Amino acid sequence: MQLLKNIFARIWAVWGIIAFTIVMLIFFPLFLLCLLWKEPKRSRISYPLFRIWMNVYLPLIGVFIRIKGKQHFKKGSNYIVLCNHSSLMDVPVSSPYIPGPNKTIAKIEMSRIPVFGTIYKLGSVLVDRKDKDSRIKSYVAMKEVLAAGLHMCIYPEGTSNKTGQPLKEFHDGAFKLAIDTRKPIIPAVLFGTAKRLSSTKPLYLLPGIVRFHFLPVVEIEPGSSTEVLRKKVFEMMWDYYSANK
C-alpha cells in the first residue's frame, strides 16, 4: 500500500509542476502589469491576483484551504503575521490567504528563477541570509512595508522544520521588528502542508486539506523584551499546534 502511495505521490507531483507552470504563465502578464505601480499600491493590486492564482491552482492539485480566526484582523490595522514553516507549500498558502495585502520575507535565491522569480519578487522582501548587508537592508524594507500599512509575513523558525516537533526554535528578528515598529503580532499555525508537499521526500505531492488558523493578537506592551515576546509567541503556537494537530 505504501509503495502505491509513493508512486501516486510522485506522479501527482509531476502533474503539480505541469499545472503550476501553465497557470503561472496565464497569470504572468497580469503580474507584469502590476510593475507599472509603485508600492504600496503595487501590493494592493497584486494581492488579489495572488489569491485568484492560488484559488485556481490549489484545487487543480487537490489541495483545499480551511481558514479560521480571520476575525483577529481589525479593519484599518496591519500586523506582523508569524507562521510555522515545514514545507515549500507554506508561502503559496500563507501569503495569499492572509486577510489583506502583505509581503513575505523570502530567500533571494528563488527570485533568480526565470518568469517565476519576477512574480516572487512582487510579494516578497528578499534576503540573502549569508550576507550581513542584505539582512540589514531586508530589515529596513520590512519596516517600510509595515509603515505603508501592509502586513508583514515572517517565518520565525527561519528554515523548514524537519525535526518532527511542532516548532523549531525561533529567531529574534521578527520580535525585534515588532518592538521597533510597535506593530502587533498575529501568530498563525499551518497544518498539513508537509503532508501535502514533503520537505524530506523529493518530488512528492499528495492532495488533501490544509488548515490555516490565526491566533489572537499579541500586543506590544511598553518595555517588552525580544526574549519575553519570542517565548510568549512560541508557547502560544506550540500549544495550539499540539492541541489541534
Side-chain angles (χ1 to χ4, degrees), residues 39-112:
E39 294 292 0
K41 189 173 182 180
R42 179 184 295 172
S43 288
R44 299 190 194 281
I45 293 171
S46 62
Y47 166 74
L49 287 178
F50 280 113
R51 187 153 188 164
I52 295 168
W53 179 19
M54 287 300 110
N55 281 343
V56 172
Y57 171 65
L58 292 174
L60 284 175
I61 60 169
V63 173
F64 300 93
I65 312 300
R66 301 289 182 264
I67 300 173
K68 183 178 180 180
K70 289 193 291 185
Q71 73 275 10
H72 298 306
F73 290 81
K74 303 303 180 186
K75 188 174 181 180
S77 299
N78 63 317
Y79 303 89
I80 298 171
V81 182
L82 301 186
C83 296
N84 58 317
H85 187 24
S86 59
S87 168
L88 283 174
M89 188 173 281
D90 295 333
V91 174
V93 166
S94 58
S95 185
Y97 295 101
I98 289 172
N102 63 86
K103 284 191 178 290
T104 302
I105 188 71
K107 295 184 292 186
I108 197 168
E109 293 87 349
M110 299 288 284
S111 69
R112 298 175 182 135

Side-chain angles (χ1 to χ4, degrees), residues 72 129 147 179 198:
H72 298 306
R129 293 189 176 92
I179 291 170
S198 175

Side-chain angles (χ1 to χ4, degrees), residues 40 44 76-79 101-102 143-151 183:
R44 299 190 194 281
S77 299
N78 63 317
Y79 303 89
N102 63 86
K143 292 173 74 173
E144 291 172 350
V145 167
L146 292 166
L150 306 174
H151 305 306
K183 290 294 182 181

